[in-house]
Amino acid sequence: MTDPILIEIVEGTLASVEKEVETAIARTARSPMIRDAHDFRAGIHDARLRKLTGRSYSALVQPVVRDFPIETMRPGDVYFHNDVYLSEGGIGHLPDLCVTVPVFHDGEVVAFVQAFGHHDDIGGSVPGSMPSHARSVFEEGLMVPPIKLWDQGVPNEAALRIMTRNSRMPDSLAGDLDAECSACLMGARRLGELFERYGREAVQECFDAIIGKTTETFRRELLSKIPEGTYVWEDYAEHDGVDEPRLHAQRITLTVDHAAETPLTIDFTGTSPQAKGPINHAGDYADGVFLKKWLAPILRNLADTPERMAELDVNEGVVPLIKMIFPEKGTLLTPVFPAPTNARTFVILRLLGVLAGVLAKATGGRMPADQETIRYTGVYGADADGQPYLMREVLGGGSGGRWYADGEDTIHVVPDSRNIPVEFAEARWPFRVERLGLACDSGGPGTFRGGLGYDKHIRMLRDASYMSIADRSILSCWGVNGGLAGRPFRVEVNGKEMDGLVDDFPVHAGEIIRIRTTGGGGWGSPYDRDPRAVAADVRDGKVSIAGALGDYGVVLDGDRIDERGTAELRATLRPPSNRFFDRGPGFARLSGGRTQADVDEL
């Protein structure tokens, strides 16, 4: 039996090395997207390609080992790739660049340290390499299959020159790659020290124990709470940048069999055909191992307490618990090369919600309501010195209300990511941020309110172009168990409302860009929310007086609650029965007037 104290030491060392790698990248990278917005993450994998750390999701080692057998690797080697269709599902769009470094002990590969993140520009038809109207991956930037970027400590200058030549931001790209390669090499040295200290056999036994503990913990504590049976639900992306807005469905049929070796089966049959535009995600590779680890954090909501939920890591131990069934080639999740993919966040974010929705059906609502916490907005142009610039920001939104608490305001689903600090932005780019706050009334009404989105106003000081890659501009984040949907994403440029997908809308000096991100869905009937909580939200500017009256049926006289008036109003507003899912008014617009999908019935 493996020494339990040694397991704790190894597990703590892995977490420490992962954090050290990410800290080094954040301190030495050059692009705002990596250094300031922190849209990157590290991961540690063993020689069997299993992800050992669970603080954040990461890409895969499979494509590197596929093209460069382990026995050919040498100390100081660094591998690079960003090719979506040759990444085994680990890379979703071309701006996500991945570096992988093998770890050696006694001359043999014993582990891998990896980092991948979203970089400013890798070429393509628009600044930022995310053309919202792309019809082919060839419009999206430079594709690099797995290559050896450093050979035994010597950088491949020719490859680096090719990549930076294709980028509109070559200095940032070169600096970021240098930061990531150096940080991963440092991480590899740290892990090598772990093997030197305790020996290969003992450390690998600890790896097995760490992964096995996750498998058993998820099976015993989480999956056991899902009743056996088969459950179906679906949700939608609303536009693809090419066709007119419509419902692009992602469907999950979940089958639960506790006696089976693999207790969860996730079947994506019924997912819509691949889109003409860039919302496709190539997920049907390596048995869907990336999607298994991407979706598994939703299961943590089944934990007994929020505190216990926060303790549960997602590593390779979740993979044996989930079987995935993909439809034939040619769907949103099984696109055929060269289908574009740069806005694939619309699909993989929605899949998190689809799994939460199908589990809500299975568990009587013991899941959070919906959220949409990634969208890209930004401006680009030339500064006062005539130099080109690109400001692109990943702005979060409100999370869904939960059965025990309100949703969180302005969260970001990418681990540790954040908005760009106002002081930094104004010092670097030709605009002023005139407001950065919470979007009042954006959270879905409920017994537990959805979290609020951002409300951000940017005044341009020079002519520029506005860009956006955003979903949920028509459809809302759905409410559950009687909760109502949140407010959708909305942007106005000088008073003109924008679509969610925009490449180059002109903005003149002096004009204001107003950005309001999504609010999370509500949980439970808003007419059961404590009126005192509603009054507190009004005092805090999270709910307007009109919202308190119309959304919650709470009558306020200044700071005082009119209890009798509230009771009478709620009696007239309360529907005879609560709708389990509320998709908001945008669903009717795209569904031909329907207020519910067929799969919404319990």
Side-chain angles (χ1 to χ4, degrees), residues 545-561:
I545 292 176
L549 191 69
D551 293 335
Y552 292 94
V554 174
V555 181
L556 296 175
D557 181 8
D559 290 336
R560 187 180 67 83
I561 300 169

Side-chain angles (χ1 to χ4, degrees), residues 346-378:
F346 295 6
V347 168
I348 63 171
L349 286 181
R350 197 70 65 252
L351 285 178
L352 294 171
V354 179
L355 181 57
V358 78
L359 287 170
K361 290 180 71 172
T363 61
R366 201 178 184 277
M367 277 282 132
D370 191 34
Q371 63 186 34
E372 175 78 6
T373 57
I374 291 181
R375 77 274 304 143
Y376 301 89
T377 58

